[in-house]
Amino acid sequence: MKPGIAWIIGGGTGIGAAVAMELAGRGWTVAISGRRMEKLQEVANGNPAILPYPLDVTDEGAIAAALAQVAGDLRRIDLFIYGAAAWQPLEVGDYSLAKYEKIADTNFFGFIRMLTPLTRQFERQGGGQLAVIASVAGYFGLPRSGAYGAMKAALIQLCQSLRIELEPKNIIVRMVCPGFVKSELTAKNDFPMPFIMEADAAAKRIVDGLVNSDRFEIAFPRRLVWPMKLMRILPYPLFFSLARRTLSKAK
């Protein structure tokens, strides 16, 4: 992909902010959105290639207005990245509907709210690329991450469907599955996070994958990704034996 116009949801912190700066450094114009305007301004400060557009993805009306503003100001959207995320480790036995709804509303339904207006924008301009930041946490279920992991798994399956459905419209769907990356979200974790990466390093891998390849899945680091993919095909007795160790390490 040649440099163009990118719009990142969740661009005020963590991976989204790092990806915005990486793209801007490669000649892209980048719109960033998130709920906290002060965080967006921190990312955009001193960089004329990064433009803040506050947005709460749980507000359907605000989504339509933000998309119209971004497309109106920048004329088109070549690359859209959905990276909005909510995460809270849950204690065993805590299956609060409110907590599950909060995570689902941002991580999954926020993207669903954006799909129709976004695809219509892509159709008007003749196509575009759509990337979703899922997670290796969506590969299988682990203790205490049922809400977060389930929503990431839902994103993975949805992206697989969209890849096929939207190709005839010249809309290319990409899926990003990073491992542990230092951020406000992972700072909440009280369990071991193997091979945790800095956000800048993760952003470079994501942008390299998006602009230098056409593969569907961009997943890293490999030394974490491949063992986790292997776990998906293990017999359940062995899988559950290994998964129980993650719970014991968190205690």
Side-chain angles (χ1 to χ4, degrees):
M1 294 180 68
K2 295 180 181 179
I5 307 298
W7 185 19
I8 302 174
I9 309 299
T13 60
I15 294 176
V19 169
M21 290 185 281
E22 182 71 22
L23 284 170
R26 301 191 191 198
W28 287 70
T29 297
V30 187
I32 56 172
S33 293
R35 285 178 294 182
R36 294 176 290 176
M37 184 61 174
E38 69 277 8
K39 291 294 184 181
L40 300 176
Q41 289 175 329
E42 286 177 13
V43 178
N45 185 35
N47 193 329
I50 302 178
L51 308 170
Y53 292 85
L55 172 63
D56 181 350
V57 296
T58 67
D59 185 336
E60 193 166 1
I63 287 171
L67 190 148
Q69 187 177 9
V70 171
D73 291 349
L74 305 178
R75 305 302 180 204
R76 61 182 291 114
I77 301 166
D78 299 296
L79 171 63
F80 173 84
I81 301 174
Y82 189 84
W87 155 250
Q88 180 63 51
L90 302 176
E91 296 302 322
V92 174
D94 182 3
Y95 308 114
S96 161
L97 178 60
K99 292 179 180 178
Y100 272 68
E101 283 182 331
K102 182 178 180 180
I103 292 172
D105 211 19
T106 297
N107 293 11
F108 184 69
F109 290 113
F111 177 58
I112 296 295
R113 293 184 188 97
M114 301 206 70
L115 259 179
T116 295
L118 180 67
T119 53
R120 287 176 178 169
Q121 170 62 32
F122 280 149
E123 288 181 74
R124 285 193 294 269
Q125 65 186 39
Q129 294 219 33
L130 186 165
V132 175
I133 298 179
S135 170
V136 296
Y139 287 166
F140 50 76
L142 284 172
R144 299 182 66 207
S145 63
Y148 182 83
M151 292 306 102
K152 293 301 185 180
L155 283 174
I156 289 171
Q157 289 205 15
L158 178 58
C159 286
Q160 291 168 346
S161 298
L162 294 174
R163 175 80 172 197
I164 300 168
E165 295 172 356
L166 296 178
E167 277 180 339
K169 300 177 184 292
N170 198 30
I171 301 171
I172 308 304
V173 176
R174 320 286 294 279
M175 182 182 73
V176 181
C177 286
F180 295 108
V181 177
K182 291 182 181 179
S183 69
E184 289 182 345
L185 297 184
T186 53
K188 300 177 183 180
N189 294 343
D190 58 359
F191 52 82
M193 292 178 282
F195 313 119
I196 188 166
M197 302 175 64
E198 296 290 341
D200 291 347
K204 186 177 186 306
R205 294 198 186 195
I206 292 169
V207 175
D208 282 345
L210 291 174
V211 304
N212 296 329
S213 78
D214 60 358
R215 66 184 185 271
F216 169 65
E217 183 184 41
I218 300 164
F220 58 88
R222 290 183 181 179
R223 53 187 173 170
L224 176 63
V225 169
W226 288 113
M228 294 190 75
K229 287 193 172 187
L230 177 62
M231 281 189 70
R232 293 188 300 188
I233 62 174
L234 292 177
Y236 274 124
L238 181 54
F239 167 79
F240 287 129
S241 176
L242 292 172
R244 287 187 189 99
R245 299 181 186 182
T246 68
L247 183 60
S248 64
K249 289 180 180 179
K251 292 180 179 179

